[in-house]
Amino acid sequence: MPVPPEDAADTAPVPAPIVARHWYTRWLLRALAVLALALGIAGVFIPGLPTTVFILMAGWAAMRSSPRMHAWLWRHPLFGPMLQNWQAGGLVSRRAKRSATVMMAVCAAILWLTPTPLWVRWLACSCMACVLLWLWLWRRPEPA
């Protein structure tokens, strides 16, 4: 199968938006999209804060509130491939899986090396273990 060009996110057709009917619903969804995007961007720099989940939420909310923001996210070089892979069948790249694994390991180490309540350590590590199982053992499909 041929490898897509580097700028595939720029040329991928943007799915048609499903804009909410009421103005107040659009504004609430737009606020959610902006908040989720901000958290997703912060997740690039803050260990333990997921990026992909928040970008998927931002894409979902933007599709229903702001066609312009949705098109921007869809064509973005960093966020676009996440949205396109997810729409293509819930695909998660191997690079994203490895990155998530490393970041969760770093977060678990920080939890166990700092004075954190024991229940917090176990709860957080259990949640991270569940996510890793979902990513790797349940074999989330990877893009070709």
Side-chain angles (χ1 to χ4, degrees), residues 37-125:
L37 179 60
L39 289 171
I41 292 170
V44 171
F45 304 103
I46 300 172
L49 190 62
T51 299
T52 304
V53 173
F54 287 120
I55 298 305
L56 293 176
M57 287 172 54
W60 176 85
M63 179 183 255
R64 286 155 178 77
S65 63
S66 172
R68 186 171 145 195
M69 182 181 188
H70 181 254
W72 178 81
L73 279 170
W74 190 262
R75 291 188 179 115
H76 193 275
L78 179 62
F79 306 134
M82 290 181 209
L83 294 170
Q84 294 164 23
N85 285 340
W86 192 257
Q87 185 183 13
L91 307 176
V92 179
S93 71
R94 184 163 296 209
R95 180 177 179 209
K97 289 179 182 182
R98 287 182 181 147
S99 174
T101 303
V102 168
M103 293 312 294
M104 285 187 236
V106 168
C107 290
I110 291 170
L111 276 172
W112 287 97
L113 295 173
T114 58
T116 312
L118 189 59
W119 70 271
V120 171
R121 294 176 192 174
W122 281 108
L123 179 65
C125 288

Side-chain angles (χ1 to χ4, degrees), residues 3-19:
V3 177
E6 279 297 316
D7 59 345
D10 292 338
T11 60
V14 180
I18 308 163
V19 180

